[in-house]
Amino acid sequence: MSETAWEQVANVDDFAGTDRVSVIIDDLPALIVQLEGEYFAIEDVCTHDGQPLTDGAIIENSIECPRHGARFDLKSGAPLCMPATQPVQTFEVDIREGVIFARPSTGESNSAAPASSTASASATTEAAAAGTSEQSGEDTGVPSTGPQEAPRVGDMLDSLKKVVDPELFVNIVDLGLVYDITEDNNQVTVTMTLTSPSCPAGPQIVAQAREAIESMPGVDGAEIKLTMSPPWTPEMMTEDARDQLGIF
């Protein structure tokens, strides 16, 4: 497969008095960000709600969405905090005599997936072998596996999508109620909010959210922390939630 051609997108002189320049790369709106003499190119869109990152703060090699605080790594595009869970497209940058060229990154963001699948298959095979040897009374010398790894944040979000607000009939993730998910030694903490402090369905939603996480393999326990800061607003909903509620 042939490489994507470099595009001339800006000049170094364009950064006089600013740390970012809006450009178009491969027909996509993008930002060139200058940070400590290094240039980064990232698609100008938050994968949480599709809004521009143009005015977002630059924080330790990342850019923050000005709407809901999601942050993305400037180099890899990886989401660094909730509510974003999907990466942003990044681009390669080349500086030639003061002219900035860019093209879509050739890195494979999912290159680790096959290795993960192979490891999973291997673990399954070893577990089956261990079970067979136990039945036969033989010792194969294969050490028993340790505690199961906790699920990834993306998988936990998928599980939380099973929890539906009984008044709005939209899941709590698309509503934007889930602010953060952390895990420590297979103990998961979900920080979330409600559509209002007096939401009558609050206890039901919290109980179902805890059950959704604790039912996942690799989770020993879950804590649901409710916060009203920042308060929930309809702007926190995803496009899918807006579509379901008929908000355009």
Side-chain angles (χ1 to χ4, degrees), residues 15 18-22 31-33 53-58 63:
F15 287 84
T18 185
D19 62 357
R20 71 200 70 186
V21 172
S22 296
L31 285 176
I32 305 291
V33 178
L53 297 170
T54 309
D55 299 323
I58 304 299
I63 187 167

Side-chain angles (χ1 to χ4, degrees), residues 18-39:
T18 185
D19 62 357
R20 71 200 70 186
V21 172
S22 296
V23 298
I24 298 294
I25 306 175
D26 198 33
D27 295 328
L28 295 173
L31 285 176
I32 305 291
V33 178
Q34 190 274 337
L35 184 62
E36 298 179 352
E38 191 171 0
Y39 293 84

Side-chain angles (χ1 to χ4, degrees), residues 201-222:
Q204 175 185 343
I205 292 174
V206 168
Q208 291 181 353
R210 182 183 298 109
E211 181 181 355
I213 296 298
E214 289 184 339
S215 66
M216 301 185 72
V219 174
D220 293 337

Side-chain angles (χ1 to χ4, degrees), residues 108-242:
E108 294 291 339
S109 60
N110 61 347
S111 59
S116 175
S117 300
T118 302
S120 177
S122 177
T124 302
T125 302
E126 290 179 5
T132 302
S133 76
E134 285 180 3
Q135 293 177 1
S136 63
E138 298 178 0
D139 183 3
T140 62
V142 178
S144 59
T145 58
Q148 187 168 357
E149 290 186 0
R152 298 174 300 177
V153 170
D155 294 330
M156 287 189 274
L157 283 171
D158 286 340
S159 186
L160 286 172
K161 284 186 177 182
K162 301 173 185 176
V163 182
V164 175
D165 186 302
E167 295 180 315
L168 298 176
F169 304 106
V170 179
N171 72 75
I172 61 175
V173 175
D174 284 335
L175 280 176
L177 299 181
V178 180
Y179 286 171
D180 190 30
I181 299 178
T182 59
E183 180 271 327
D184 184 23
N185 292 326
N186 298 86
Q187 297 289 330
V188 177
T189 300
V190 177
T191 302
M192 60 174 291
T193 191
L194 300 172
T195 53
S196 70
S198 58
C199 175
Q204 175 185 343
I205 292 174
V206 168
Q208 291 181 353
R210 182 183 298 109
E211 181 181 355
I213 296 298
E214 289 184 339
S215 66
M216 301 185 72
V219 174
D220 293 337
E223 177 184 5
I224 308 299
K225 287 187 176 180
L226 280 181
T227 179
M228 295 300 161
S229 179
W232 180 86
T233 68
E235 289 184 347
M236 295 180 177
M237 294 189 294
T238 64
E239 292 296 330
D240 287 342
R242 291 191 180 96

